[in-house]
Amino acid sequence: MQNTTLKKISEILGISISTVSRALKHHPDISLKTRQKVIDLAETLDYEPNASAVQLRTKNSKLLGLMVPTVSNYFYETFISAVEEDARKQGYSVMILQSGNDPAIELDNLKLFRQNRVSGVFTCLSSSTTDLKGFERMREMDIPVVFFDNVPDVSGIHKICMADEKSAQLAAELILQHPYQSILAIFGNPQLSITKKREAALQQAFQSHPNIQLLIEHAHNSDEARTISNSMLNKHLPDIIFCMSDEVLIGVLKTIQEKGLRYPDNIALLTISNGTIPKLFHPQITYIETSGEKMGHLAFSHMLDCINGNADPKELLVDALLVQGGSL
Amino acid sequence: MQNTTLKKISEILGISISTVSRALKHHPDISLKTRQKVIDLAETLDYEPNASAVQLRTKNSKLLGLMVPTVSNYFYETFISAVEEDARKQGYSVMILQSGNDPAIELDNLKLFRQNRVSGVFTCLSSSTTDLKGFERMREMDIPVVFFDNVPDVSGIHKICMADEKSAQLAAELILQHPYQSILAIFGNPQLSITKKREAALQQAFQSHPNIQLLIEHAHNSDEARTISNSMLNKHLPDIIFCMSDEVLIGVLKTIQEKGLRYPDNIALLTISNGTIPKLFHPQITYIETSGEKMGHLAFSHMLDCINGNADPKELLVDALLVQGGSL
DNA sequence: AACATTTCCGCAAACCATTGCGGAAATGTT
DNA sequence: AACATTTCCGCAATGGTTTGCGGAAATGTT
């Protein structure tokens, strides 16, 4: 079967293409009788508007771009899932691209977004991106960009972030409620905006407690976190390990299991996470929630505002929430 | 800045649109001098072909559809990641939609794929889909559909599956190498094709070992698996628990941890998984690998064959592989 | 019956890129 | 110099949809 087009319908019905087009969108110019005929035929012929033609004519695509370093990540997948869900409800579709943390691919992907005339782009910066020129170009073409999670450190753009400071503060508060004296805090890639913010806030929180020993380390991935925690734990057993992310947590948990340590008895644990990993273990790991889902919903609603032209560039925060487990 | 179009370039250079178009694709009709001028200007003006116009004219989009029940899943995310990666290398982009296991949404999504004139669709059936009419329509429009993971139980279509039988056989073999007498096997949703195949193969493998007690249960999600394993373990402690998937495994591990059981000492564990979850634990859980990544790569290369018209409908298998951990 | 309104529909341009065909200019051949 | 070739480029149609504008037919008004 060929594709059904307005033209085909118009020929069968012996009316003009424009009448068909208008009838299909309930334009008042078209009489009810004609309208019904058209709609019925369109129905039986399974008419489906050609999205390319529509977009070409209206310059208004129902496509959104979404770029992350990799889809395969506990956090991003929930973000993506939430965005796609909301998008569907609003008639938008999502085109998903991965940067692989490669700025060159990131640039290519932006180009693809432009070529496909997406109506907006959600993006989490690759960890090594320093040049924002590609994103400038989006602005020139009036394509709104909503950054999330790892965002550029400039103002005048749309960003959706975790309440990084608050989550670190929450963590600090919780730790201070216990008599812990020695803390090992493992953070991720120090180039990431989230790392910087969380680290600064945590340090800040303990500044007024000089008696508490705070040791800070950085791991670029789970394996590094494992190695670091292992060598650290060989020298000295802190009272608690704070993990900045699931990635770090995974490495730390490996070490703890390998060493046969039990939490919270031998050592306490606290992490920032969306919950997936903490909930796999028993006792459940206590965590400060960074919900990719919440962030996704917030990002989408903000994107809608951007598209409709009523959103000033600003930074929105997803609130941090303590989820009690049994790890401290 | 406005969008750069062929027309704009042609006006600036004082030549025709068609010449610009041809120059940009190195058509031999265009002299080197003109060609260079065009290419240079296009470069400085950041010319980017309008994908909609191209697709409208050529009826050949560089878009692929991918539909899964949810993106947020240990297995699908790796599949998606692999497909997107390969697609990018071949100049394709991926439009990702979720069905939420709802046949109605599934239908809507297929419609979206058609409207966007995707060149092909990867899809994992929603668990409750019984009617394949929506997919018929794809065939009518000559849009190749490659099913993966949970696939329709009919022939004459393209499907990429795990070697479900083999993986169950591998599991059985491994179990039989140990003196286990009592097995608890927990499967997922009994409607899924993968469930049926794996279950049948496992039963088959133990048919010739009537002295071994094989108890089969079904869980629709992790929580059910947890409940089931919990109540089972209260009555009777099997020698080994076999889990059909990560989802099941997660629930079982919860129970095991809650009861303070240790594997492989108190009870042995074996699962089918892509490895993410098994590797989080120590000792690592032994698993039969179902690599979403491998499946993704295979699916993509098969899709390419389909698009190029040289692929008969058939079922391709991703080989099963034993990954030794320390759980049995 | 003559005029003013309203109702309903079609023409044609526009969006942007692609491509078969034909034609002018430049070059080659005798 | 007259013709045949080759080189290079433009015309115009095409793909499917949207939309401003104008016009014919139907209805209403006096």
Side-chain angles (χ1 to χ4, degrees):
Chain A
M1 191 198 313
Q2 281 301 326
N3 269 327
T4 311
T5 66
L6 293 184
K7 189 176 175 190
K8 185 188 278 186
I9 296 181
S10 78
E11 280 168 355
I12 295 180
L13 256 31
I15 59 182
S16 79
I17 295 178
S18 32
T19 302
V20 178
S21 172
R22 289 190 171 98
L24 251 21
K25 36 183 54 111
H26 300 91
H27 192 290
D29 263 14
I30 309 300
S31 72
L32 230 80
K33 226 181 354 177
T34 317
R35 190 190 300 181
Q36 202 50 54
K37 271 197 308 188
V38 172
I39 292 178
D40 286 348
L41 185 60
E43 179 73 21
T44 68
L45 254 47
D46 271 324
Y47 170 71
E48 283 158 8
N50 184 320
S52 299
V54 173
Q55 126 70 16
L56 181 59
R57 179 58 229 244
T58 62
K59 298 175 166 300
N60 179 340
S61 81
K62 282 290 197 177
L63 239 196
L64 294 174
L66 196 167
M67 173 163 56
V68 287
T70 170
V71 169
S72 176
N73 170 294
Y74 316 99
F75 178 71
Y76 299 139
E77 61 176 24
T78 54
F79 179 91
I80 295 173
S81 187
V83 168
E84 197 282 329
E85 199 181 319
D86 287 357
R88 199 184 53 75
K89 291 180 184 158
Q90 300 289 330
Y92 284 88
S93 303
V94 184
M95 177 173 158
I96 298 183
L97 265 28
Q98 306 180 102
S99 69
N101 274 322
D102 180 337
I105 297 182
E106 195 169 58
L107 233 49
D108 280 350
N109 286 346
L110 287 179
K111 188 170 198 168
L112 274 173
F113 283 148
R114 288 192 298 262
Q115 291 184 190
N116 283 284
R117 301 302 191 264
V118 296
S119 294
V121 171
F122 300 95
T123 186
C124 168
L125 237 46
S126 109
S127 57
S128 42
T129 299
T130 54
D131 186 359
L132 295 172
K133 226 178 314 176
F135 294 97
E136 288 295 336
R137 183 108 178 78
M138 303 306 275
R139 180 199 300 271
E140 286 170 6
M141 285 184 64
D142 285 323
I143 300 177
V145 176
V146 172
F147 293 93
F148 67 93
D149 200 46
N150 184 40
V151 304
D153 193 15
V154 300
S155 60
I157 59 177
H158 304 279
K159 9 184 179 178
I160 316 282
C161 299
M162 296 311 310
D164 286 309
E165 280 87 358
K166 184 174 171 197
S167 58
Q169 281 161 13
L170 267 180
E173 269 175 38
L174 189 62
I175 293 176
L176 286 171
Q177 285 169 17
H178 296 76
Y180 302 134
Q181 289 301 309
S182 165
I183 307 169
L184 170 58
I186 307 185
F187 290 86
N189 186 332
Q191 293 181 25
L192 298 180
S193 66
I194 52 173
T195 303
K196 292 178 196 159
K197 288 194 212 160
R198 291 174 188 183
E199 189 175 331
L202 195 75
Q203 274 187 316
Q204 165 74 28
F206 282 102
Q207 221 148 40
S208 47
H209 298 267
N211 54 318
I212 296 184
Q213 190 194 339
L214 176 63
L215 184 60
I216 290 185
E217 290 290 332
H218 294 273
H220 287 78
N221 52 51
S222 295
D223 266 348
E224 272 191 43
R226 180 182 183 176
T227 313
I228 290 175
S229 56
N230 189 59
S231 69
M232 285 290 146
L233 264 52
N234 280 341
K235 297 187 229 166
H236 161 75
L237 204 64
D239 298 323
I240 180 168
I241 301 183
F242 168 78
C243 305
M244 186 199 93
S245 67
D246 277 326
E247 256 194 298
V248 171
L249 174 67
I250 290 172
V252 169
L253 276 172
K254 260 299 177 60
T255 297
I256 289 185
Q257 293 181 88
E258 282 163 6
K259 289 189 171 301
L261 294 173
R262 320 213 58 164
Y263 60 83
D265 304 335
N266 307 136
I267 192 165
L269 286 176
L270 178 58
T271 189
I272 298 184
S273 165
N274 73 346
T276 314
I277 305 293
K279 285 181 184 155
L280 292 178
F281 293 87
H282 184 87
Q284 195 169 303
I285 317 284
T286 300
Y287 65 96
I288 315 286
E289 187 195 60
T290 72
S291 162
E293 213 176 318
K294 282 186 192 167
M295 188 180 257
H297 290 304
L298 185 58
F300 182 81
S301 95
H302 188 64
M303 174 64 83
L304 231 44
D305 289 342
C306 288
I307 291 176
N308 296 327
N310 38 38
D312 296 326
K314 61 183 160 190
E315 177 169 348
L316 294 177
L317 293 184
V318 177
D319 201 21
L321 196 74
L322 173 66
V323 181
Q324 286 281 6
S327 65
L328 87 173
Chain B
M1 191 198 314
Q2 281 301 326
N3 268 328
T4 310
T5 66
L6 291 186
K7 188 175 174 191
K8 183 187 279 185
I9 296 181
S10 78
E11 280 168 357
I12 295 180
L13 256 33
I15 58 183
S16 81
I17 295 179
S18 31
T19 303
V20 178
S21 173
R22 290 191 171 98
L24 252 20
K25 38 183 52 112
H26 299 91
H27 192 289
D29 264 14
I30 310 300
S31 70
L32 231 79
K33 225 180 354 176
T34 318
R35 189 190 301 180
Q36 203 50 52
K37 271 198 306 186
V38 172
I39 291 178
D40 286 349
L41 186 59
E43 178 73 22
T44 68
L45 254 47
D46 271 324
Y47 171 72
E48 283 158 6
N50 184 320
S52 299
V54 173
Q55 125 69 16
L56 181 59
R57 182 59 230 249
T58 63
K59 295 176 167 303
N60 179 342
S61 81
K62 281 291 196 175
L63 239 196
L64 294 174
L66 195 167
M67 173 161 57
V68 288
T70 171
V71 169
S72 175
N73 171 294
Y74 317 98
F75 178 72
Y76 299 140
E77 60 175 26
T78 55
F79 179 90
I80 294 172
S81 186
V83 168
E84 198 280 329
E85 199 183 318
D86 286 358
R88 199 183 53 73
K89 291 181 185 158
Q90 300 288 330
Y92 283 89
S93 303
V94 184
M95 177 172 158
I96 298 183
L97 265 28
Q98 306 180 102
S99 70
N101 274 322
D102 180 337
I105 297 182
E106 195 169 59
L107 233 49
D108 281 350
N109 286 345
L110 286 179
K111 187 169 199 167
L112 274 173
F113 284 148
R114 288 192 298 262
Q115 290 185 191
N116 284 284
R117 302 301 191 265
V118 296
S119 295
V121 171
F122 301 95
T123 186
C124 168
L125 236 46
S126 111
S127 57
S128 43
T129 299
T130 54
D131 186 359
L132 295 173
K133 226 179 312 174
F135 295 98
E136 288 296 337
R137 182 108 178 78
M138 303 305 276
R139 181 199 299 271
E140 285 170 5
M141 285 183 65
D142 285 323
I143 299 177
V145 176
V146 172
F147 294 92
F148 68 92
D149 200 46
N150 183 40
V151 304
D153 194 15
V154 300
S155 60
I157 59 178
H158 303 278
K159 10 184 179 178
I160 316 282
C161 299
M162 296 311 310
D164 287 308
E165 280 88 358
K166 185 174 171 197
S167 57
Q169 282 161 12
L170 267 179
E173 270 176 38
L174 189 61
I175 293 174
L176 287 171
Q177 285 169 18
H178 297 76
Y180 303 133
Q181 288 302 308
S182 164
I183 306 170
L184 170 59
I186 306 184
F187 290 86
N189 187 332
Q191 293 181 25
L192 298 181
S193 66
I194 52 173
T195 303
K196 293 179 196 159
K197 288 193 212 161
R198 291 174 189 183
E199 188 175 332
L202 195 76
Q203 275 188 315
Q204 165 75 28
F206 282 101
Q207 221 149 41
S208 47
H209 298 266
N211 53 319
I212 296 184
Q213 190 194 341
L214 176 62
L215 185 59
I216 289 185
E217 291 290 332
H218 294 274
H220 286 79
N221 52 50
S222 295
D223 266 348
E224 272 191 44
R226 181 183 183 177
T227 313
I228 289 175
S229 55
N230 189 60
S231 70
M232 285 290 146
L233 264 51
N234 280 340
K235 298 188 230 166
H236 162 74
L237 203 65
D239 299 322
I240 179 168
I241 301 183
F242 167 78
C243 305
M244 185 199 95
S245 67
D246 277 325
E247 256 194 297
V248 172
L249 174 67
I250 289 172
V252 169
L253 275 171
K254 259 300 177 58
T255 297
I256 288 186
Q257 292 181 89
E258 282 163 6
K259 288 189 170 300
L261 294 173
R262 321 213 56 164
Y263 61 83
D265 303 336
N266 306 135
I267 191 164
L269 287 176
L270 178 57
T271 189
I272 298 184
S273 164
N274 72 347
T276 313
I277 305 292
K279 285 181 183 154
L280 292 179
F281 293 86
H282 183 88
Q284 196 170 301
I285 317 285
T286 300
Y287 65 95
I288 315 286
E289 186 194 60
T290 71
S291 162
E293 213 177 317
K294 282 186 193 166
M295 188 180 257
H297 290 305
L298 185 59
F300 182 81
S301 94
H302 188 64
M303 175 64 83
L304 231 44
D305 289 342
C306 288
I307 291 176
N308 297 328
N310 39 36
D312 295 328
K314 60 184 160 189
E315 178 169 348
L316 294 178
L317 293 185
V318 177
D319 201 20
L321 195 74
L322 174 65
V323 180
Q324 286 281 7
S327 65
L328 86 174

